[in-house]
Amino acid sequence: MADISVPYWNIVDVNMLCEGARLIGFDLDNTLARSKKPMKADMAECFSALTSLIDVAVITGGKYSLLQSQVVDRLSDHADKSKLHLMPTSGTRYYRWDGQRWGKVFSHDLSDEDRAKAKESLERNAREQGIWATHVWGDRIEDRGSQITFSALGQLAPVEAKEAWDPTNEKKNRLACAVAAELPNLEVRPGGSSSVDISQRGVDKSFAVRELADILDIEVGQIVFIGDRMEPDGNDYPAAKAGTRAVKVNGPADTVKLCGEIIARLSR
């Protein structure tokens, strides 16, 4: 299938975007919030308001605890948690609110053997490519069960350092290609600004939106998906290629503005 071009948020027709839409999906880092940071007050208010109008999903490469701290803990009192779908680790896990707590619906975990091979390949190739940094903030490689994530500067690196590490995506793309060649049975893809993610083959954001469509008995084309990495090598692009109504933003400030327009449209 040929590559597709995803429009920026400020040129889309919001009326057409929302016509017949059944779910609004979001990436997390640099879409709803800065990397590892909680949603700001204006974003939290918009996000909460959306859940009272339509089903809302967050699909992120991050782990479940980050979804809790960045999103769930920031919800306002009028948020409808029953309409919120949480899909951490690139959609390899899925959580729903059962009225009292968040429960796991599914988890596509890697085998012990695949997790060990993934970690070994990531470290060896990163060292060979000269990107195994000597000074890091936190773990370089994190085992999330359903996903192995390499963070070049460590999981706790400052946002500014991560964003400056590989502005052209060359380093992480090169690492992902080398590891993918060694692990053909696994899905290896560039993640955030300084990360590479590994999961079961075929389990990415395209898988996540298709699963949500099946569970909610809707069409993938009735899902609006908003993300900051919508280029062909970006980790939000699979959701676009799956057939969602994809929209590109450059950061949370854009997302707040777009959400305001969507809320106004859905409230009519």
Side-chain angles (χ1 to χ4, degrees):
M1 183 185 296
D3 289 339
I4 59 174
S5 179
V6 177
Y8 277 94
W9 70 276
N10 56 347
I11 64 171
V12 298
D13 183 324
V14 173
N15 286 324
M16 291 184 63
L17 184 71
C18 294
E19 183 67 34
R22 298 283 301 277
L23 181 141
I24 310 293
F26 295 93
D27 169 52
L28 176 49
D29 282 357
N30 298 318
T31 297
L32 290 174
R34 297 294 297 279
S35 180
K36 305 293 193 296
K37 303 294 185 182
M39 293 190 296
K40 290 185 177 180
D42 55 352
M43 187 70 257
E45 186 62 30
C46 282
F47 186 90
S48 298
L50 268 178
T51 66
S52 67
L53 298 169
I54 194 170
D55 280 274
V56 176
V58 184
I59 308 173
T60 174
K63 58 187 177 182
Y64 176 66
S65 61
L66 286 173
L67 264 174
Q68 283 281 337
S69 63
Q70 291 183 264
V71 177
V72 175
D73 291 348
R74 298 290 290 157
L75 295 175
S76 69
D77 291 341
H78 61 260
D80 185 349
K81 289 184 282 191
S82 69
K83 290 186 178 179
L84 183 53
H85 310 262
L86 304 179
M87 303 190 81
T89 50
S90 303
T92 60
R93 294 186 174 192
Y94 175 38
Y95 294 81
R96 290 292 304 274
W97 180 253
D98 67 6
Q100 295 184 323
R101 63 181 181 85
W102 294 97
K104 184 167 63 178
V105 179
F106 65 66
S107 177
H108 295 280
D109 290 341
L110 293 166
S111 68
D112 291 344
E113 180 182 5
D114 282 340
R115 285 154 58 201
K117 287 181 178 178
K119 288 183 276 190
E120 188 279 330
S121 180
L122 282 168
E123 178 171 348
R124 176 168 42 77
N125 280 286
R127 289 184 182 277
E128 290 175 357
Q129 294 178 13
I131 57 173
W132 189 262
T134 55
H135 176 69
V136 296
W137 293 264
D139 296 334
R140 293 183 184 87
I141 297 178
E142 186 175 16
D143 186 341
R144 298 172 176 173
S146 58
Q147 179 175 287
I148 304 298
T149 295
F150 169 81
S151 299
L153 302 179
Q155 287 291 321
L156 305 177
V159 173
E160 295 76 12
K162 290 194 289 187
E163 291 179 347
W165 179 75
D166 187 23
T168 64
N169 298 323
E170 179 183 356
K171 296 176 185 177
K172 64 180 182 181
N173 288 352
R174 185 171 64 244
L175 177 61
C177 285
V179 174
E182 296 180 356
L183 305 174
N185 63 313
L186 298 179
E187 190 80 38
V188 183
R189 58 191 173 273
S193 53
S194 61
S195 63
V196 171
D197 298 324
I198 301 176
S199 63
Q200 288 186 13
R201 176 158 288 284
V203 182
D204 58 9
K205 292 186 180 182
S206 64
F207 164 85
V209 295
R210 288 194 295 265
E211 283 289 293
L212 277 176
D214 286 344
I215 290 167
L216 298 176
D217 194 23
I218 63 176
E219 300 294 327
V220 172
Q222 293 176 301
I223 297 174
V224 175
F225 191 82
I226 301 164
D228 70 311
R229 294 186 175 274
M230 287 291 186
E231 300 76 19
D233 63 351
N235 64 346
D236 295 322
Y237 187 70
K241 288 210 76 170
T244 64
R245 306 177 188 184
V247 182
K248 178 177 171 58
V249 294
N250 279 327
D254 289 350
T255 308
V256 167
K257 294 173 185 176
L258 176 58
C259 284
E261 295 185 23
I262 292 174
I263 290 167
R265 169 62 178 78
L266 294 178
S267 298
R268 292 175 196 164

